[in-house]
Amino acid sequence: MVRMAEALERLEKLAASPIVSTLSRAFAEAEYELALVGGPVRDAILGRTVNDFDFTTNARPDDILRIVTPISDAQWDIGREFGTIGARIHGETIEITTYRADTYDGVTRKPVVAFGDTLTGDLSRRDFTVNAMALRLPQVALEDPTGGFQDLADRTLRTPIEPAVSFGDDPLRMMRAARFSSQLDFTVDEDARAAITEMTASIENISAERVQAELSKLLLTDNPRPGIELLVDTGLADIVLPELPALRLEADEHHHHKDVYQHSLTVLEQAISYEHERHPEAEPDLVLRWAALLHDIGKPATRKLGPGGTVSFYHHDLVGSKLAKKRLGALRYDTATIKAVGRLVELHMRFFGYTEAAWADSAVRRYVRDAGDLLERLHMLTRADVTTRNRRKADRLAFAYDDLEARIAELAEQEELDAVRPDLDGNQIQQILGIAPGREVGEAYRWLLELRLDEGPLGPEVATERLRAWWAARDSAE
């Protein structure tokens, strides 16, 4: 329960910080209003770490720039059109925006900027009441015209105005509701939830880039499940990520299989746990989280019902990889992210052959070679993919993967496995075989790489002898 006295104490502490106090003095001396607004106020009241400093003022952009220039070591006005000036003060990046009274064009849903004159008017145009609070400076007074503090106490997400009007102004706010429900562990109120369900089609007016940004922010929270479930339950996911609700496969009385949708959410949660366990100081891994969420999206297209109640999903890893890359491409993700997620989805079933029979060293080398720089992510994804309630089976899989990782580490120490290369490079191949650069050099290189994977390091002399023998046999065969 958030108490007002405790909240004000936290806000006073925030106001006394070097960044806030420096800015508040500068704007007061210039006789302009200034307030810290939105997320920083919300997070300070909740006792969360304040990472972003967003300010609002009645000063226009030119005046903002004039005030901050003497007290900052960098400034930028890339958001001047929208009334925003950025600066770096005491090593922190801050943004200051002129009071706004946005309207929307009704077609693209892009804001048509109109500067406002009052803080109250500016707050009324924001997405949720918990983000529509401001801390007036330098007097340290909480401005809360829409009841955001009570909603914080109730852990509720509510729009400052009618939900249909707010979401109609900017449909992306519906996705922000999902993100904040996960980020803050808040419940979206019934009116807002009903409006989202009725207005899902309007999300099609939002650019893929903006949708992508919200999905990324949601996945990077510590607990993305509530937000993802909101997207699916309201129907938003049918538009922005249709492969996910498609995982809710229908079962009949004769064919039984686990709920692939719920399984995928559990894999995502377990992957996040492995992130925290294995790399506690690292930033959240978006690639791993997308791979965990999408790893089974090939199953609906590959499901086959067999006799005796059996269900199979042959090659769902390959189909899923293609689908994942297609979806992330449609969401305008960068090429590296698309490629990495697709590769992890493609490889996520590879380990399960290890549980059937111990691999030869050559198979372990190929597993490492195929994973490349995604190996650690593949470790976490494969472990997270075990969601069985059968403790004996879960333990068997965990022990098997422990053994595989131990063998990888042992081989890596012996052979520098993480950089597996043939014993001879391209130049040496040309000299030994007396051939010019071209297709034949690549063919020989690949043959030597397979030899290296099968038998381990041979050394240049043995590799040269084996290469000449292979080349002679190749020539005679031709």
Side-chain angles (χ1 to χ4, degrees), residues 24-47:
S24 62
R25 281 195 304 270
F27 275 77
E29 290 172 1
E31 299 183 342
Y32 284 106
E33 296 178 8
L34 183 71
L36 191 63
V37 67
V41 178
R42 176 199 70 214
D43 289 344
I45 292 174
L46 291 173

Side-chain angles (χ1 to χ4, degrees), residues 38-73:
V41 178
R42 176 199 70 214
D43 289 344
I45 292 174
L46 291 173
R48 294 163 57 97
T49 301
V50 175
N51 294 314
D52 299 309
F53 292 89
D54 294 327
F55 297 85
T56 188
T57 178
N58 61 342
R60 295 303 195 250
D62 287 344
D63 296 314
I64 296 173
L65 192 58
R66 175 174 53 81
I67 294 169
V68 301
T69 297
I71 59 174
S72 59
D73 54 23

Side-chain angles (χ1 to χ4, degrees), residues 209-283:
E209 289 81 3
R210 294 183 73 203
V211 170
Q212 177 222 103
E214 280 303 321
L215 286 173
S216 294
K217 290 175 183 177
L218 169 57
L219 281 178
L220 292 174
T221 64
D222 285 339
N223 181 27
R225 180 189 280 263
I228 293 172
E229 290 180 333
L230 181 69
L231 293 179
V232 171
D233 293 345
T234 59
L236 271 176
D238 290 331
I239 298 173
V240 301
L241 195 59
E243 295 81 3
L244 195 58
L247 293 176
R248 296 179 296 183
L249 300 175
E250 294 182 6
D252 60 38
E253 59 182 325
H254 302 295
H255 299 88
H256 303 285
H257 53 79
K258 62 188 174 186
D259 186 326
V260 183
Y261 167 63
Q262 289 297 329
H263 163 75
S264 298
L265 294 183
T266 301
V267 172
L268 173 59
E269 290 177 322
Q270 293 186 168
I272 292 172
S273 295
Y274 280 117
E275 273 188 57
H276 295 328
E277 175 186 319
R278 295 170 73 124
H279 307 285
E281 303 301 321
E283 292 295 318

Side-chain angles (χ1 to χ4, degrees), residues 144-159:
D144 181 20
T146 63
F149 183 83
Q150 186 58 52
D151 286 340
L152 275 185
D154 296 338
R155 308 188 73 78
T156 298
L157 284 174
R158 183 171 57 85
T159 55

Side-chain angles (χ1 to χ4, degrees), residues 5 10 19 26 58 146 221 276 286 317 354 367 439:
R10 290 170 177 168
I19 296 171
N58 61 342
T146 63
T221 64
H276 295 328
L286 185 62
D317 44 355
Y354 189 86
Y367 187 77
R439 179 184 57 80

Side-chain angles (χ1 to χ4, degrees), residues 243 294-304 313-327 342 345-349:
E243 295 81 3
L294 302 181
H295 76 286
D296 273 347
I297 62 170
K299 282 191 170 180
T302 58
R303 183 173 66 153
K304 294 290 187 294
F313 304 96
Y314 293 124
H315 303 303
H316 77 271
D317 44 355
L318 301 178
V319 172
S321 176
K322 293 178 181 178
L323 290 175
K325 288 188 284 190
K326 183 177 179 181
R327 175 53 49 195
V345 173
E346 180 183 346
L347 294 174
H348 83 274
M349 292 294 294

